[in-house]
Amino acid sequence: MDPCEMGRDLEKVLLTEEEISQRLTEMAAEIDADYAGREILLVGVLKGAAMVMADLSRKLAHDARMDWMAVSSYGSGTKSSGVVRIIKDLDTDLTGRDVLIVEDIVDSGLTLSWLAANLRSRGPASVEIAALLRKPCEAKVQVNVKYCGFDIPGEFVVGYGLDYGERYRTLPFVGTLAPHVYA
Ligand code: 5GP
């Protein structure tokens, strides 16, 4: 996509590349301290968490393992349906492992609460959640996000892995879209 065209589609930048990087550095330091002496298995949720996973994992002092899941919880449009389907499962046996789910955003919380319960049923030593973004005003279920980057308003955001119709994922920042994009 033409970068100029992408720029015209944006309404405002919510979080700059620098703000995201700085917050991920802080989160990585917290995670390193909490998991001292333990091996972490990072579970990234495709596709949205790809950027968070790449940047957060490289800020960790830990030599963490990495695996990926793909789930679908959106029927269509911009709201979670609550019905979660596994599209790609993990390659790793979770028995006895310290699992850290890495997510892009917690909106209603329906996807993550389902995912955390699903992973907990596989016999891990622990399951915690790291999410770059959370929309507290949209929460439908309580999810314990141990490492949260930013609480944001209940607006639909794109960039830094987050898409709208598979576009805008490659933006290095998080922003909102201009109304004409939805029209
Ligand atoms: P939840 O089940 O918490 O409502 O939604 C979780 C998933 O919905 C996220 O992993 C993400 O894929 C998608 N999602 C929720 N809010 C947004 C948003 O503001 N922008 C984008 N692009 N995706 C979102």
Side-chain angles (χ1 to χ4, degrees):
M1 186 177 189
D2 179 345
C4 295
E5 195 187 322
M6 202 143 67
R8 276 198 297 274
D9 288 353
L10 293 166
E11 187 172 60
K12 62 175 184 286
V13 174
L14 218 60
L15 297 164
T16 65
E17 199 173 347
E18 292 72 30
E19 286 170 327
I20 295 169
S21 175
Q22 193 186 333
R23 185 68 190 114
L24 288 180
T25 302
E26 294 165 1
M27 289 165 71
E30 259 183 79
I31 294 166
D32 273 327
D34 290 352
Y35 287 86
R38 289 148 74 196
E39 187 179 80
I40 312 170
L41 174 68
L42 301 172
V43 171
V45 186
L46 292 168
K47 303 172 194 170
M51 308 297 181
V52 192
M53 180 70 137
D55 289 343
L56 180 67
S57 63
R58 285 180 296 172
K59 289 174 185 286
L60 290 174
H62 266 76
D63 176 20
R65 291 182 184 228
M66 208 185 262
D67 203 345
W68 299 90
M69 267 185 103
V71 297
S72 155
S73 60
Y74 273 19
S76 59
T78 59
K79 282 289 150 201
S80 190
S81 67
V83 180
V84 182
R85 196 163 53 94
I86 295 179
I87 295 167
K88 185 225 168 284
D89 207 342
L90 298 172
D91 300 322
T92 316
D93 178 359
L94 297 192
T95 311
R97 291 198 180 278
D98 288 306
V99 175
L100 181 58
I101 302 173
V102 179
E103 234 321 10
D104 48 5
I105 189 163
V106 188
D107 187 351
S108 67
L110 292 168
T111 308
L112 261 184
S113 74
W114 183 92
L115 189 61
N118 180 287
L119 299 190
R120 283 193 183 104
S121 74
R122 304 185 192 194
S126 66
V127 175
E128 299 291 354
I129 296 167
L132 180 69
L133 307 171
R134 178 172 59 186
K135 296 180 192 168
C137 58
E138 298 292 317
K140 288 203 180 110
V141 285
Q142 219 41 54
V143 181
N144 182 20
V145 180
K146 188 160 184 191
Y147 309 99
C148 178
F150 301 91
D151 281 332
I152 61 168
E155 295 171 285
F156 191 80
V157 293
V158 295
Y160 201 72
L162 290 153
D163 74 311
Y164 177 63
E166 291 301 327
R167 292 165 66 196
Y168 314 107
R169 283 194 202 279
T170 56
L171 290 169
F173 52 83
V174 172
T176 55
L177 289 172
H180 78 261
V181 181
Y182 301 105

